Amino acid sequence: MAKRLLFVGPTGSGKSTVINILYNQSVDKEMMKKPATANDTSASVTDCFTTYYKLPKYAYTDTIGLGDSHGKNGQLPQSFRKLKSIVYNAQVGYHHVYICLPYGRVPSDVRKHIKFLTTIFSEEILKYSTIIFTHCEVENMDKDLYLKKNEADREICDLV
């Protein structure tokens, strides 16, 4: 049985690109365009949930970006409602969740995304999740350097 991996994060955070790298086992720019279109702008965003099978080992599920963080009339934003519906109605579960976040200070919208995920799955999701920081231009970036750079942000440091 293939391990089912779910990729979530804000619009334009690189979810599709990470899947392409894993699927094709290559960071070659041409290879990153397959199986899903991957661009470095949010003009070409994933607008549905798509699973790419690399049988027999993996099934990578690309999700819509959690881009609109403000719902209307107290409702969840549309992207959050879609994710919640997909997760609740899924016939299968996921083995691991990858949360893709653009590198840098973590804005309040991202905090809402993480809070939303823990609300859907409970705090247990964090045991089965990995945060992938994308769009990082710092060559020697590692966890310790990230934590030092964001030491004033206790909530994110505790999460990482």
Side-chain angles (χ1 to χ4, degrees), residues 66-123:
L66 300 176
D68 57 342
S69 61
H70 306 289
K72 295 178 182 171
N73 300 326
Q75 293 183 342
L76 286 173
Q78 182 180 11
S79 58
F80 285 22
R81 288 194 311 266
K82 283 183 181 178
L83 178 59
K84 182 177 180 179
S85 175
I86 293 292
V87 169
Y88 281 150
N89 295 313
Q91 297 292 324
V92 295
Y94 293 96
H95 294 93
H96 202 82
V97 176
Y98 289 92
I99 304 169
C100 297
L101 301 175
Y103 171 74
R105 290 194 42 81
V106 179
S108 62
D109 283 356
V110 171
R111 293 174 196 282
K112 290 177 188 174
H113 299 148
I114 293 171
K115 179 65 175 166
F116 173 73
L117 292 171
T118 57
T119 299
I120 288 180
F121 295 103
S122 83
E123 293 287 327

Side-chain angles (χ1 to χ4, degrees), residues 1-6 51 53 57-61 90 92-97:
M1 178 165 95
K3 283 193 174 193
R4 299 185 57 81
L5 309 173
L6 180 67
T51 300
Y53 293 91
K57 292 187 177 184
Y58 300 104
Y60 306 107
T61 300
V92 295
Y94 293 96
H95 294 93
H96 202 82
V97 176

